[in-house]
């Protein structure tokens, strides 16, 4: 493959990556605000509103990153609207606790995954991806709330553990759909015609790391993974 | 009435006013973010997310204003949680357009009303109330969207006009409930034992101004008031 074709493919992959992240942050903003509306506890409302605003700021950073690369952010996000909306439609929390678990477990595994991809990127893009995937301490608040609720009523732990598994299943299913449709983006992870990409052994190690972190988060919440 | 009793009553009234405004902005943040989630148009999502964040910033300004006066913001907001939640429970938009009309018409009449009250306040409080009630141009966006939708399908105008009337009816009903329960707050408007307050003629003129502005907003949307 000629260098300029490889460059164009890399550019497309980076724009795809920033775009899926950007739309993810925009929907995270909406979801977190909806979580805030599900509680009457004012301290919780404030913590969630601040988290929602941080997510919107990430969306802005990513949108600016896309535009800086000469692409149109709306057009770039368009292919990811339907997979992300479908993920959310299939994982609509039925109550406040399910919303909190979704924010912690779902966003956690997504952030881990994007950080794994970021290792293969140019430094500026890697820095942007790592910045928006950083946990700004909001997890502490969620972990406390979920643990306290389980302590009050241990029976909910089974339902929330199932919920966590369903979240991961839906996330994998939408991720596969995106991978099948966006060749350039998949090539960032598994390599393309022009470059070897991650080999099978490394892919296995990555999946092991993602699973391990997921289990750690479920345990932190007091849930069986 | 002794001066210190009057002062204490005024302080209580100001804290009440800032508190009802603060909780109103917090719920406005949640509602506006929910409106953003009801559209797939990215420009609309962005405009509504920015409006939601501005509302949250207003909440913070008001909370700080309450704390500056030595009151606890959570305790101060508590009496207004139920009337505001009930207002929103009774006026849950069934679609995106109803959400936009509610934001424009409902928040518009509330802002007008608070600005009328603010005339009777000390300068610092008046400035704060006027700042959070200022329209930051978001109305232009809503007016354009609603007018364009009516142009596309004129039949929706009747339903939205009814919706506008229902919003006002519910707002009045919750405002009367608050007035009946919060003497100090009502006294800001109608006067108390120690001061004459607004006389009946002035009250009539105020209601005329509120109605006139409401009609103007409905007309701007292309709706019969």
């Amino acid at each position: 493959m000629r260098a300029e074709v490889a460059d164009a493919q890399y550019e497309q992959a980076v724009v795809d990556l920033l775009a899926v992240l950007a739309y993810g942050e925009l929907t995270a903003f909406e979801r977190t605000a909806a979580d805030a509306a599900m509680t009457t506890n004012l301290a919780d409302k404030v913590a969630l509103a601040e988290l929602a605003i941080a997510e919107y700021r990430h969306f802005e950073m990513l949108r600016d990153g896309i535009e800086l690369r000469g692409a149109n952010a709306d057009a770039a996000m368009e292919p990811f609207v339907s997979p992300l909306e479908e993920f959310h439609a299939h994982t609509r929390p039925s109550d406040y606790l399910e919303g909190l678990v979704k924010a912690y477990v779902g966003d956690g595994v997504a952030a881990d995954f994007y950080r794994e991809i970021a290792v293969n990127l140019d430094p500026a893009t890697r820095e942007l991806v790592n910045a928006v995937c950083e946990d700004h301490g909001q997890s502490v608040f969620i972990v406390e709330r979920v643990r306290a609720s389980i302590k009050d009523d241990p029976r909910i732990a089974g339902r929330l553990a199932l919920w966590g598994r369903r979240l991961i299943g839906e996330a994998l299913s939408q991720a596969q759909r995106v991978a099948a449709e966006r060749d350039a983006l998949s090539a960032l992870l598994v390599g393309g015609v022009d470059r070897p990409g991650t080999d099978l052994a490394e892919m296995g190690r990555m999946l092991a790391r993602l699973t391990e972190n997921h289990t750690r988060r479920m345990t932190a919440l007091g849930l069986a993974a």
Side-chain angles (χ1 to χ4, degrees), chain A residues 104-224:
Chain A
Y104 183 63
V105 165
D107 295 1
V109 75
D112 280 349
F113 177 66
Y114 291 126
R115 272 190 296 241
E116 291 280 355
I117 294 187
V119 174
N120 302 320
L121 300 178
D122 62 278
T125 310
R126 185 167 59 236
E127 203 176 311
L128 176 56
V129 171
N130 285 335
V132 300
C133 289
E134 205 182 323
D135 183 327
H136 295 283
Q138 65 271 25
S139 325
V140 179
F141 149 77
I142 296 181
V143 168
E144 279 171 9
R145 284 298 176 280
V146 175
R147 291 194 77 98
S149 302
I150 294 174
K151 207 176 161 192
D152 284 352
D153 180 4
R155 289 168 308 172
I156 60 174
R159 171 169 66 89
L160 292 178
L162 274 177
W163 172 243
R165 261 165 269 166
R166 191 164 134 218
L167 290 170
I168 296 300
E170 283 293 338
L172 277 177
S173 134
Q174 295 302 328
Q176 277 163 358
R177 180 177 156 195
V178 166
E181 284 172 11
R182 308 299 296 179
D183 287 343
L185 187 55
S186 315
L188 268 192
L189 194 60
V190 297
V193 190
D194 58 320
R195 57 193 198 89
T198 309
D199 65 19
L200 262 182
E202 177 49 29
M203 192 73 85
R205 284 191 289 273
M206 185 194 85
L207 285 173
R209 284 192 296 272
L210 290 178
T211 310
E212 203 176 299
N213 281 340
H214 170 64
T215 306
R216 191 182 44 72
R217 274 188 293 267
M218 292 290 276
T219 307
L221 293 175
L223 299 174

Side-chain angles (χ1 to χ4, degrees), chain A residues 64-104:
Chain A
D64 293 350
I66 296 167
E67 307 271 354
L68 263 178
R69 288 179 173 267
N72 175 277
D74 283 15
M77 287 189 287
E78 212 283 319
F80 306 107
V81 169
S82 144
L84 276 160
E85 294 294 338
E86 247 175 77
F87 172 71
H88 290 309
H90 292 170
T91 57
R92 214 175 285 290
S94 69
D95 62 15
Y96 181 52
L97 282 177
E98 288 191 1
L100 291 185
V101 170
K102 180 174 169 180
Y104 183 63

Side-chain angles (χ1 to χ4, degrees), chain A residues 20-90:
Chain A
V20 67
L21 268 165
Y23 198 74
E25 294 283 0
L26 191 56
T27 57
F29 161 79
E30 294 169 359
R31 270 188 305 113
T32 308
D35 289 341
M38 280 198 277
T39 173
T40 51
N41 181 308
L42 281 164
D44 282 24
K45 273 188 190 293
V46 165
L48 288 166
E50 277 165 8
L51 174 55
I53 291 171
E55 289 164 336
Y56 185 76
R57 296 294 170 225
H58 290 163
F59 159 74
E60 288 181 318
M61 288 161 67
L62 291 157
R63 184 188 56 188
D64 293 350
I66 296 167
E67 307 271 354
L68 263 178
R69 288 179 173 267
N72 175 277
D74 283 15
M77 287 189 287
E78 212 283 319
F80 306 107
V81 169
S82 144
L84 276 160
E85 294 294 338
E86 247 175 77
F87 172 71
H88 290 309
H90 292 170

